[in-house]
Amino acid sequence: MNDYQSALHPAGPFADRLGSLWEIFLFTTGTVWLLVLLFLALAVWRGSRRTEPDNSEEGTRISTRWVSGALVLSTLILFALLGASVAAGRAVTPNEADVATREIRVNGHQWWWEFQYTNPRADRIVTTANELHLPAGERIRLVLRSSDVIHSFWIPNLHGKHDLIPGKTVNFVIQADRPGLYRAQCAEFCGLQHARMGFIVVVEPRAQFEKWYARQLLPAPIPKTADQQRGQTVFLGSTCVMCHTIKGTPAGARLGPDLTHIGSRLTIGAATLPNTRGHRAGWIANAQSIKPGVLMPPSNLSPDDLNAVTIYLESLK
Ligand code: CUA
């Protein structure tokens, strides 16, 4: 997937505008570079054919004219690029009158992302982590904030970067038109695991998005098999509940990611590992060996308990 995390493969109008700006810059500066090389080669070639330096008045007049001309042209090109840049900046910053269809609160944590789909009705609010689902073709208002240090929200396929500043909330509008999977990345150094602070953006047609949303509104499914039941008992009886929420169970802490539908997510550890049974087990056993400095402490579960918990989490679709 060459467009998995790429500003050069826009999947929405804002990234498209920024992509065009990049093409204008590339074409203009590339042409200037080629012209400079051409004139340099010409000068070397002419110089090598000359035996004496040209100090005549006529020679000086000609070179002064060329240098002044190039200076004026460079200034004009730089102003044109400035104009293009300002115009693109305005185009990708919609004003308040632009109606966004929904609002998602984005909270940056060291080192993971919390997404909350707001709704006037409390029972319609969805909270998830490290995976942002968006309906295609809709304008979405993001409300960005940080709970610790400065992070930067960046989905290269959809838009430019935007900082998350502690103590401040800022609005940011995005829109995705092309359904697909895109990787996003924290773009501001925020500590040891900054590089492993990614998330996955899932852009779906409206109907598919609504299906996902309806499912996320439900409490966690009741464990069915013996392994799932054992996993839930172990989960609820261990330190897991001091940081995580699983809706529909007594686990309701907010320090770490909400796990109510962890089984439906593609990755764990903020897009660090694929969400497979083996990776989950390794993460629970000792997340520190995968992402040193993360708040998740190592666990001392027996192999059977560990296995049961990973199976239980898998069932939380
Ligand atoms: Cu968060 Cu870098």
Side-chain angles (χ1 to χ4, degrees), residues 49-267:
R49 287 178 9 134
R50 199 175 279 147
T51 44
E52 301 258 310
D54 180 8
N55 289 327
S56 70
E57 216 166 274
E58 171 72 2
T60 313
R61 206 165 53 79
I62 291 174
S63 22
T64 309
R65 196 183 294 161
W66 273 98
V67 170
S68 329
L71 205 65
V72 171
L73 189 64
S74 302
T75 310
L76 289 178
I77 289 174
L78 285 175
F79 270 103
L81 289 179
L82 176 69
S85 178
V86 170
R90 293 173 76 104
V92 300
T93 318
N95 57 36
E96 288 296 319
D98 259 297
V99 188
T101 51
R102 58 186 90 222
E103 180 182 282
I104 304 173
R105 289 193 190 143
V106 178
N107 198 357
H109 300 265
Q110 280 176 315
W111 293 280
W112 61 282
W113 301 88
E114 186 178 14
F115 301 116
Q116 189 173 70
Y117 296 70
T118 61
N119 201 285
R121 278 178 50 189
D123 62 340
R124 301 277 305 164
I125 294 173
V126 160
T127 305
T128 183
N130 302 324
E131 196 168 297
L132 184 64
H133 284 244
L134 299 174
E138 276 188 35
R139 203 152 267 211
I140 314 274
R141 181 172 45 246
L142 301 175
V143 181
L144 308 177
R145 51 189 286 262
S146 165
S147 62
D148 35 52
V149 299
I150 301 177
H151 302 277
S152 186
F153 182 93
W154 190 33
I155 311 171
N157 296 80
L158 296 189
H159 210 312
K161 302 166 184 173
H162 208 303
D163 279 1
L164 289 78
I165 314 228
K168 258 185 99 168
T169 53
V170 277
N171 287 340
F172 188 45
V173 175
I174 58 166
Q175 183 177 333
D177 287 342
R178 187 157 52 87
L181 280 187
Y182 308 103
R183 192 183 181 281
Q185 172 65 38
C186 178
E188 175 75 39
F189 182 74
C190 54
L192 207 54
Q193 295 301 333
H194 155 69
R196 294 195 186 95
M197 184 171 169
F199 62 98
I200 304 294
V201 183
V202 184
V203 179
E204 298 157 313
R206 178 75 185 269
Q208 215 172 316
F209 170 83
E210 292 298 350
K211 252 169 94 178
W212 171 84
Y213 198 84
R215 193 157 189 115
Q216 298 290 311
L217 286 170
L218 300 174
I222 311 280
K224 288 184 194 76
T225 68
D227 274 336
Q228 292 171 9
Q229 278 160 2
R230 175 171 177 172
Q232 189 187 53
T233 309
V234 173
F235 187 95
L236 296 177
S238 72
T239 49
C240 307
V241 292
M242 292 165 75
C243 299
H244 295 287
T245 289
I246 296 181
K247 270 194 294 177
T249 76
R254 298 288 304 278
L255 203 59
D258 187 306
L259 300 180
T260 308
H261 295 285
I262 176 78
S264 70
R265 292 184 208 146
L266 296 162
T267 66

Side-chain angles (χ1 to χ4, degrees), residues 7-79:
L8 300 181
H9 295 85
F14 301 128
D16 209 26
R17 193 69 172 74
L18 295 175
S20 311
L21 182 65
W22 145 258
E23 276 159 18
I24 292 170
F25 267 73
L26 181 69
F27 178 77
T28 311
T29 53
T31 308
V32 169
W33 181 70
L34 284 176
L35 282 177
V36 168
L37 285 190
L38 189 74
F39 279 101
L40 182 67
L42 205 64
V44 170
W45 176 69
R46 285 178 49 152
S48 66
R49 287 178 9 134
R50 199 175 279 147
T51 44
E52 301 258 310
D54 180 8
N55 289 327
S56 70
E57 216 166 274
E58 171 72 2
T60 313
R61 206 165 53 79
I62 291 174
S63 22
T64 309
R65 196 183 294 161
W66 273 98
V67 170
S68 329
L71 205 65
V72 171
L73 189 64
S74 302
T75 310
L76 289 178
I77 289 174
L78 285 175
F79 270 103

